[in-house]
Amino acid sequence: MPETMTPLSEVTPPHLTPLWERQDCHLPNKPDQQTTGLLGCASCSLPCPTPPMETPGLVVHGEAAPFSTALRSLVNNPLYSDVRFVVGQERQEVFAHRCLLACRCNFFQRLLGSEPGPGVPSPVVLSTVPAEAFLAVLEFLYTNSAKLHRHSVLEVLTAAVEYGLEELRELCLQFVMKVLDVELVCEALQVGVAGQACRWSPCGGLGYMASPVSTRPPSFCSQIAVSFGLGPLQERCVAFIEAHSQETLRTRGFLELSAPALLLLLRSDKLCVDEAELVLAARSWARVGAAVLERPVAEVAAPVVRELRLALLAPAELSALEEQNRREPLIPVEQIVEAWKCHALRRGDAARGAPCRRRRGTLPREHHRFLDLPFK
């Protein structure tokens, strides 16, 4: 019988047979072999197509400088702007772009809402932030960079904390620590302690009062500083003042410190200043606060004077202080009595509630040898 033949239409030419199905191909018999293009088979010398693999995309970057320059030109530019701010005590008008602010900052996303209302939108009033600081914040939001100045960096830092801009906050902290000096340190400490750059009067912003009559303990203010990422600033400022105590006490910034900030300093053993100078500085601080707040000096000084170490003063100095205290009350009478007990009994532990530790800058006096707690 004649041999049965396969119809020509059912015959697959060798070069069209898939590579992994050909018996004469020595490549791995796996259709998922990661090879691309046409491969020559060693046994048949025919090109063998393999399943193509998807090529991953490649992210390419253009030049950043022109992009940043273009966006910087939109800062406070009425062109295409759809939101207006009225900022600072001067009520300066500032233009911005809603979508950019909302996508860059959660604070503005909540403040501005999802869509503008019909008609001409009303301006958003931000009276507690100075215009210069607000423009620096906008510049950072638009370009991820900002030009900082020594005279306004603390206001920018305060705004960065309030608006939740952690990267800008860190940049401001680094800048402040580089330019820190005697004239700036007290104001920087005020920001580090209270979380905002306000001085004698209550203000908006973070909602904390930083005034001479505030009774918030230093531990509470330290928690505020840490929670807002300002702990390192507070520590750096205290260390700077400890090393430059006498110069700092003569600055205007010292007179404008809040009570919690001054308490942090008066509780330090490392201040390079004698106790008699600290008493004079505390009186000057209380006088300024009393004039601003229109309250008695003793009331303004009450939160801080307990930290004055009167037992370190010599008897003659204590007598002079007692006489002045009669004319202008500053220190509670019982606190002076406790200091006199220390002298009478010649024992530091007899002055209950009156610290007897000598500070780093305490000048030696004859009775100090009777104190049980020398400076360490």
Side-chain angles (χ1 to χ4, degrees):
M1 294 180 62
E3 184 177 358
T4 304
M5 300 183 61
T6 305
L8 184 61
S9 60
E10 299 179 9
V11 177
T12 303
H15 66 279
L16 296 182
T17 303
L19 177 64
W20 51 86
E21 295 182 1
R22 291 174 50 181
Q23 298 179 358
D24 58 345
C25 182
H26 298 287
L27 292 179
N29 188 25
K30 297 180 180 179
D32 60 345
Q33 180 69 24
Q34 295 185 5
T35 57
T36 59
L38 297 176
L39 300 178
C41 180
S43 59
C44 65
S45 300
L46 294 174
C48 304
T50 60
M53 298 293 294
E54 183 179 355
T55 304
L58 177 64
V59 177
V60 296
H61 298 274
E63 294 186 16
F67 175 77
S68 179
T69 301
L71 284 179
R72 185 173 281 106
S73 68
L74 295 178
V75 176
N76 196 20
N77 189 339
L79 184 64
Y80 307 125
S81 67
D82 55 358
V83 60
R84 291 181 301 140
F85 295 92
V86 175
V87 298
Q89 298 299 322
E90 301 81 8
R91 298 184 64 82
Q92 179 176 333
E93 190 176 42
V94 176
F95 298 93
H97 303 80
R98 182 184 302 266
C99 63
L100 197 149
L101 298 186
C103 72
R104 286 277 286 155
C105 179
N106 291 333
F107 172 86
F108 287 108
Q109 185 180 53
R110 295 190 299 267
L111 179 67
L112 301 176
S114 58
E115 295 181 0
V120 179
S122 301
V124 180
V125 179
L126 298 174
S127 59
T128 60
V129 55
E132 183 178 358
F134 187 73
L135 288 173
V137 171
L138 289 188
E139 182 182 4
F140 179 79
L141 293 177
Y142 278 66
T143 68
N144 210 42
S145 63
K147 187 175 183 179
L148 300 176
H149 301 275
R150 183 183 178 280
H151 67 275
S152 60
V153 63
L154 293 176
E155 284 82 3
V156 179
L157 171 60
T158 302
V161 172
E162 182 174 356
Y163 301 157
L165 300 173
E166 297 183 3
E167 188 176 5
L168 180 58
R169 179 198 65 196
E170 291 301 318
L171 293 174
C172 290
L173 287 175
Q174 295 173 15
F175 182 85
V176 170
M177 292 182 181
K178 288 181 180 179
V179 301
L180 198 63
D181 59 13
V182 172
E183 297 298 328
L184 183 65
V185 66
C186 286
E187 190 175 357
L189 176 62
Q190 182 64 45
V191 176
V193 169
Q196 62 182 30
C198 63
R199 298 176 179 175
W200 290 110
S201 59
C203 68
L206 298 176
Y208 297 101
M209 178 181 292
S211 69
V213 296
S214 173
T215 57
R216 297 187 186 277
S219 58
F220 176 83
C221 296
S222 298
Q223 293 172 4
I224 296 175
V226 172
S227 63
F228 286 103
L230 301 178
L233 176 62
Q234 175 182 301
E235 296 172 2
R236 179 69 177 271
C237 290
V238 171
F240 185 95
I241 295 174
E242 288 172 342
H244 305 85
S245 303
Q246 292 185 351
E247 300 93 328
T248 304
L249 295 183
R250 303 187 185 102
T251 64
R252 177 180 176 180
F254 174 80
L255 298 177
E256 295 178 342
L257 280 177
S258 66
L262 183 55
L263 271 174
L264 281 177
L265 299 180
L266 294 181
R267 289 181 174 178
S268 171
D269 294 337
K270 299 179 181 180
L271 293 176
C272 293
V273 62
D274 187 62
E275 205 66 26
E277 293 186 57
L278 274 181
V279 174
L280 293 176
R283 186 179 293 276
S284 298
W285 173 87
R287 284 173 176 169
V288 173
V292 173
L293 299 175
E294 298 181 350
R295 296 182 181 180
V297 171
E299 180 181 340
V300 172
V304 302
V305 292
R306 286 290 182 183
E307 298 303 323
L308 294 173
R309 305 177 184 184
L310 303 184
L312 298 177
L313 301 178
E317 296 171 311
L318 196 55
S319 296
L321 174 62
E322 191 172 21
E323 180 62 28
Q324 185 178 13
N325 204 60
R326 292 193 185 99
R327 298 192 302 269
E328 183 185 36
L330 174 74
I331 302 173
V333 175
E334 57 271 18
Q335 185 177 349
I336 299 178
V337 171
E338 293 295 336
W340 278 119
K341 285 183 180 180
C342 179
H343 284 281
L345 301 176
R346 293 190 174 187
R347 287 186 58 83
D349 58 359
R352 293 174 299 173
C356 298
R357 291 190 305 275
R358 283 173 274 185
R359 306 181 196 269
R360 179 175 291 170
T362 300
L363 298 177
R365 294 169 174 81
E366 190 275 337
H367 74 286
H368 285 177
R369 69 179 188 272
F370 300 112
L371 299 180
D372 296 332
L373 300 174
F375 171 73
K376 296 181 180 180

